[in-house]
Amino acid sequence: MEKQKLSQRAEAAVEDRNFMAVWNDKVSMVHPYDKKENPSGIINLGTAENTLMEDVLLERVSKPDIHAIDRELLYYFKQTGMPRFTNALAKFLTERLQTAEPVNPEDIVVLNGVASVSELLAYALADPEDVFLSPSPYYSMTRTDMRFRSRCKCFDVPLTQKMEEGELVPFQLTVARIEKAYKDAVSQGLKVKGIVLINPNNPLGDIYTPELLQDILKFAHKHQLHVLCDEIYALSVFDKASKFQSVLTLPSLPDPARTYVMWGFSKDFCISGFRCGVLITKNDRLKSFLNLASFYGAVPAPVHNMLKVIIEDTEWLDNVFFPTNQQRMAQAYKLCTDSLERLGLQYHPSKAGFFVWADFSPYLKTKNVENEIELFKQFVSAGVYIVPGTEMYAIETGWFRIIFTLPEELIVKAFERIERVIKAVEKS
């Protein structure tokens, strides 16, 4: 059969498929692990989902109040967010993020996932070939979001295990590193339109201080850059000694109209299937655009109502969901890091999110991308999927991102398979 050609835009997108998107599909759809049905299947420690709260969530969403449908939910609605939902979101985010000023419901835009928000921000704020500074390693779909339709690019700000002068910890983000990347991009004739800031960081699990956030915003304001603050893991802090502070906690923003906060339900509420992302913006022109674009990425009205019920159930949130989630995440993180230590593997300490950034470089024949991917394929052949660091745009080879927010049985089984691989490498 003759190969059917699509538009140049669509062909470029098809040929440009993200590594994680491809492998997530393979693992979850083609050969997934199941204790009874497919015990030789691949254990997925690559997709950033938290399944530790499944029992708690299923119990809550089975209650009648979640499924109440009134006549308003049957018809067209304000697709950037029904007022009943955006009002509830504004109150919830003001309280949970402890914002300096109350979040205004009129500044909230609701779309079907944070990826949709990110992709539309690139489309609205930049032109083809414009670049966004992106501290690396970073969630690789960020690059896809930037270029899928907008044809913008990420210009990486490399963070490394090797520390530079003035840095206190490995992989430390500093304004100096951002400024160097900015100058490098400009010297190459590129137009820098903004900075993408994932906080808490994916995959490092770092939390940025208010002082650093303020300094980055001042730098951005000086150069008239947009700052896209991805705070999707804001409420997934499991280290009791750490505290996340949103950019919205700062007493004043240097450039409010160019500062954007993204948050969603997929991570902090462990319900990625509900597909609901939230943008907070004071850019009125952008809101006008999103009011039109939301027609193609709206969250269904009944989902608005279901999520409204959940975030207004403060007794359940404070006494059941959040404390249970924090406890289970801390236990799972310890199990994962104990397993790494038992195998003699180094890792970057994480404070938030679902991941551990682990160093497998001793098991590369030589430190290069080809050998990292070869080790990745050995892990997959052994039945465990973890993401190679260079596919998250790390410049140092041998690092892998491991998702730990799974039941203990799966983590234990996965590390048995990882151990078999590295012992086989040692013998070879």
Side-chain angles (χ1 to χ4, degrees), residues 272-377:
S272 52
F274 277 51
R275 308 308 306 131
C276 184
V278 177
L279 170 68
I280 303 173
T281 176
K282 291 190 175 296
N283 187 325
D284 290 333
R285 189 65 173 167
L286 174 66
K287 284 186 275 190
S288 296
F289 165 73
L290 293 176
N291 191 49
L292 299 171
S294 63
F295 184 83
Y296 304 100
V299 178
V303 176
H304 285 213
N305 204 54
M306 294 172 77
L307 295 174
K308 172 183 177 292
V309 171
I310 289 174
I311 62 176
E312 288 183 334
D313 189 352
T314 54
E315 182 177 349
W316 179 75
L317 293 176
D318 292 335
N319 298 320
V320 179
F321 182 78
F322 285 128
T324 304
N325 190 35
Q326 184 186 47
Q327 179 185 36
R328 291 182 181 182
M329 287 182 68
Q331 291 171 343
Y333 174 75
K334 186 175 188 305
L335 175 62
C336 182
T337 53
D338 284 351
S339 300
L340 288 167
E341 291 173 11
R342 180 176 57 82
L343 297 177
L345 292 163
Q346 300 295 313
Y347 60 90
H348 182 72
S350 181
K351 303 176 183 66
F354 304 164
F355 17 76
V356 177
W357 188 242
D359 183 8
F360 286 85
S361 62
Y363 298 96
L364 302 185
K365 295 174 185 177
T366 56
K367 291 187 178 182
N368 57 42
V369 176
E370 291 75 16
N371 284 320
E372 182 182 278
I373 296 301
E374 177 58 33
L375 183 59
F376 163 75
K377 290 177 179 177

Side-chain angles (χ1 to χ4, degrees), residues 48 96 298:
R96 300 293 164 173

Side-chain angles (χ1 to χ4, degrees), residues 52 332 335 406-414:
L52 296 171
L335 175 62
L406 289 89
E408 178 178 347
E409 179 184 7
L410 285 179
I411 295 294
V412 170
K413 176 69 72 175

